[in-house]
Amino acid sequence: MQRIRLRYTKRGRLRFTSHRDFQRAFERALRRAEVPMAYSAGFTPHPKVSYANAAPTGTGSEAEYLEIALTEPRDPDKLRELLDESLPAGLDVTDAVEARTSGLADRLGASVWELRLDGVGLPEAQGAVASFLAAESVEVERRTKNGLRTFDARGAVACLEAVEGAADRPGEGACAILRLVVRHSTPAVRPDDVLSGLRATADLAPPVPAAVTRLAQGPLDEESGTVTDPLAPDREAVMAAPPTAAGLTAATGAPPARGGAPEGSA
């Protein structure tokens, strides 16, 4: 059984696609692309697809990840192209690698977020960021299925800065961009929780809802605050491993060579 890990996006209007809607669209894409999926056992078999830390509905993302299991080997790059063609624009498959290591979900230790605050000037945003970072803890409330929950939004924030943003159209006024690195913790701290914390510590209240996009997710380098590529260990393992008969078949489409002297040898 071959396992392929994919990176995909949620762009434009499709940021409002729920995770369940994406699952349905992706399973249709698997059928259109004629991917030889492995299925679970039981009375209602399902394709073996593992989703990792999906972004909340309403947020864009450049870095969503999933893993699929195949019954026949396929070239990851060709598979990526077929799936990308079979999905609607905005749900774009941007990377694929054969899984050669374990624990993809465990490597998704943090996310990089961009929050676009239209109507907020840079000095105001920078002051709010300074107040938030200076606090030892920032308690916020979020309503969950179990009721209202209070937790600390500050502890999960590894980096937070405000930079100047450009308005979409001339004359639209000020725009600040927040760049945010959040550790994946329990309970999970979301970008809107950080916005609630900025409101609590500095009374920052954007006049319109923030446009939120996840730029990356993966292992966090605590010293630099950098989030690195979670697929890098698989790429390195593929490069280090000698080619197998199955791998050659997937890459070339030709059947593996059988025993005997090579063609043309004496």
Side-chain angles (χ1 to χ4, degrees):
M1 182 182 296
Q2 185 188 36
R3 295 180 296 126
I4 303 290
R5 288 169 176 166
L6 303 170
R7 173 174 172 165
Y8 66 95
T9 71
K10 288 173 62 180
R11 295 170 173 159
R13 295 178 63 184
L14 290 183
R15 70 175 55 221
F16 299 104
T17 302
S18 70
H19 182 56
R20 182 59 190 142
D21 289 338
F22 173 78
Q23 287 179 306
R24 286 192 288 262
F26 186 69
E27 290 181 10
R28 287 195 296 267
L30 290 171
R31 292 193 293 271
R32 290 193 193 101
E34 298 181 346
V35 178
M37 289 296 299
Y39 280 77
S40 61
F43 291 105
T44 56
H46 297 285
K48 289 189 175 181
V49 183
S50 299
Y51 299 91
N53 196 38
T57 302
T59 63
S61 181
E62 295 294 316
E64 301 297 287
Y65 292 92
L66 59 81
E67 180 179 300
I68 59 176
L70 311 182
T71 57
E72 300 173 10
R74 289 293 185 269
D75 176 70
D77 289 333
K78 293 181 179 178
L79 181 64
R80 184 204 67 77
E81 292 177 3
L82 288 171
L83 287 171
D84 191 48
E85 292 170 358
S86 301
L87 284 165
L91 299 178
D92 305 316
V93 183
T94 58
D95 201 359
V97 64
E98 184 174 0
R100 294 292 185 93
T101 63
S102 60
L104 173 62
D106 294 336
R107 293 203 292 269
L108 302 181
S111 287
V112 182
W113 296 95
E114 180 179 277
L115 287 67
R116 179 186 174 87
L117 307 181
D118 287 301
V120 176
L122 181 59
E124 182 184 3
Q126 289 175 329
V129 166
S131 297
F132 182 91
L133 294 177
E136 291 187 6
S137 66
V138 179
E139 289 194 346
V140 299
E141 293 182 338
R142 185 201 304 156
R143 187 166 298 281
T144 69
K145 61 182 180 181
N146 296 322
L148 201 61
R149 184 169 187 178
T150 301
F151 56 93
D152 176 28
R154 174 65 185 89
V157 176
C159 298
L160 176 61
E161 64 173 347
V163 299
E164 188 76 49
D168 288 339
R169 291 183 293 272
E172 286 195 339
C175 175
I177 301 291
L178 299 184
R179 299 277 169 75
L180 171 66
V181 178
V182 179
R183 300 178 187 89
H184 297 166
S185 57
T186 304
V189 173
R190 302 173 180 175
D192 56 329
D193 298 321
V194 176
L195 286 173
S196 296
L198 291 168
R199 186 180 303 112
T201 57
D203 199 27
L204 180 69
V208 296
V212 180
T213 302
R214 173 150 56 191
L215 302 180
Q217 63 172 323
L220 174 64
D221 184 330
E222 290 285 355
E223 290 188 5
S224 65
T226 302
V227 174
T228 59
D229 180 10
L231 300 183
D234 295 297
R235 264 188 281 272
E236 292 167 2
V238 169
M239 294 295 292
T244 62
L248 290 172
T249 302
T252 64
R258 301 191 182 277
E263 185 180 351
S265 64

